[in-house]
Amino acid sequence: MAAHDLEIGMREDAVNAVLAHLYGRPALRQKLFAGTRTGQSGEPDMSWSVEQCPTIRLNGPDDDFWTHAVKRTPPIEAPYRNALVIAFPELEVTYHGKPLSKKVDALCTLDVYSGSLTVVPVAASIDLTGASDWDRFFYEKVIGPKALNLSATMLGGITVPHVKFADVSFGTPALAVGDGALVAGLNLADRLPTTAPTTTDTAEKFGQTAHFYAVVGPEAVRRVAQAQLDILTGKSHTTSGQAGFVIGKADYRAGVALNSATATVDSVTPDQVGVAAEFTAWADAEVELNGLVKEVENVGDAIAHFFSSY
């Protein structure tokens, strides 16, 4: 039995395909992945740009991340709920004409609050092996926080759409991140809020090649089917016409109306919908014979004339 009325999943590679599409559009790349900072003099004293498309890992950080962690804000304690890592292969920052570039990983958490996707930056990781004191200071105080802010800007603030189809509405999704997947569980709007799905069984739901999956619970299936039946209830279908035959013709009229219909769904086989319906049907016809009465009278006259000749 489905744990949620609707569950939707997306693979890590599908998320990165969306991110690559955004990065591949020059206007968006300039807006989202580059910028400048104005100094005390009123002139730009720092610029930054993401020189390669970032990638997202829908898993928590490994031990190597913490080996090179340089910034942790806010001080959220592990374990991190819905943790993901955004990898910037080359984040370049130019400060007073001096360009510096490094690979930066940003650890964030993901959730939904007040109808929007919320990204909370947790920590940045930069390998500063052999870096000078100045470079270390700059990476820790400038580049690390920049990567975290950029991570929150890239994904945060996206409005989570209200899911509704066939006049059936769903409530706020509960998100889960892990095992290379992003999954969302939703219940029908008039039912209790749902808890987040687990990500441990997503591989089975995705199958071999799918990038997305959607699992609909039996009650949601029933309501969608019932909504479609309610549209038809009270409506009627009529037909009329004329049919000819050897000795005459008929004008006919017929109709059928759906009085009521109820959908039922078995929780074991939710893809099969049963329907109990009540109909009203009617029909009538007017038959016109091709002068048959007159023809019968003529035959009678002929017979009478035949016998009167004897």
Side-chain angles (χ1 to χ4, degrees):
M1 183 174 180
H4 307 85
D5 292 322
L6 176 63
E7 183 180 321
I8 303 170
M10 179 183 294
R11 277 189 194 273
E12 183 178 278
D13 53 0
V15 176
N16 282 314
V18 174
L19 189 58
H21 176 73
L22 296 176
Y23 186 83
R25 299 177 62 179
L28 287 178
R29 185 166 66 247
Q30 186 63 30
K31 180 179 180 180
L32 295 177
F33 302 100
T36 59
R37 187 187 75 173
T38 301
Q40 295 181 352
S41 64
E43 297 294 330
D45 65 349
M46 185 182 74
S47 63
W48 58 272
S49 63
V50 179
E51 296 298 308
Q52 297 182 45
C53 180
T55 58
I56 295 177
R57 300 196 301 269
L58 296 177
N59 283 295
D62 54 22
D63 292 340
D64 187 61
F65 179 94
W66 296 115
T67 300
H68 303 292
V70 298
K71 183 69 176 179
R72 182 195 295 256
T73 179
I76 302 175
E77 296 298 328
Y80 302 104
R81 181 173 177 269
N82 294 347
L84 56 88
V85 176
I86 303 177
F88 298 91
E90 186 180 357
L91 176 60
E92 182 176 287
V93 177
T94 301
Y95 185 68
H96 291 295
K98 180 182 179 182
L100 298 169
S101 65
K102 273 286 187 179
K103 177 182 180 295
V104 183
D105 290 337
L107 169 63
C108 303
T109 63
L110 186 67
D111 219 323
V112 176
Y113 292 106
S114 301
S116 296
L117 201 62
T118 301
V119 178
V120 178
V122 177
S125 178
I126 310 172
D127 186 355
L128 297 177
T129 303
S132 66
D133 291 343
W134 163 248
D135 287 350
R136 180 177 294 275
F137 172 83
F138 190 76
Y139 284 126
E140 291 182 354
K141 301 301 182 181
V142 178
I143 294 184
K146 175 55 67 178
L148 291 175
N149 292 338
L150 178 57
S151 300
T153 302
M154 266 191 339
L155 300 178
I158 299 174
T159 300
V160 177
H162 175 66
V163 179
K164 179 178 180 180
F165 56 91
D167 292 328
V168 176
S169 296
F170 293 83
T172 301
L175 299 183
V177 176
D179 299 294
L182 169 63
V183 295
L186 302 90
N187 275 349
L188 293 161
D190 59 352
R191 302 184 73 178
L192 292 175
T194 184
T195 56
T198 60
T199 60
T200 54
D201 60 348
T202 52
E204 178 182 348
K205 295 175 183 177
F206 281 118
Q208 296 296 321
T209 59
H211 298 290
F212 302 89
Y213 75 80
V215 178
V216 185
E219 178 60 14
V221 173
R222 188 197 69 79
R223 292 204 192 180
V224 170
Q226 187 64 53
Q228 298 305 300
L229 291 173
D230 290 343
I231 295 174
L232 299 175
T233 301
K235 293 185 178 181
S236 60
H237 176 73
T238 60
T239 184
S240 62
Q242 189 178 82
F245 46 95
V246 176
I247 62 173
K249 63 180 181 179
D251 294 315
Y252 62 87
R253 294 167 299 279
V256 61
L258 177 62
N259 298 330
S260 64
T262 303
T264 57
V265 176
D266 186 348
S267 61
V268 178
T269 55
D271 57 336
Q272 299 179 18
V273 180
V275 178
E278 178 185 339
F279 295 91
T280 298
W282 54 270
D284 63 66
E286 294 180 359
V287 178
E288 179 182 341
L289 301 179
N290 293 333
L292 183 59
V293 176
K294 182 63 176 176
E295 294 297 332
V296 172
E297 291 177 351
N298 291 340
V299 172
D301 290 342
I303 294 173
H305 178 71
F306 174 78
F307 282 104
S308 66
S309 62
Y310 290 91

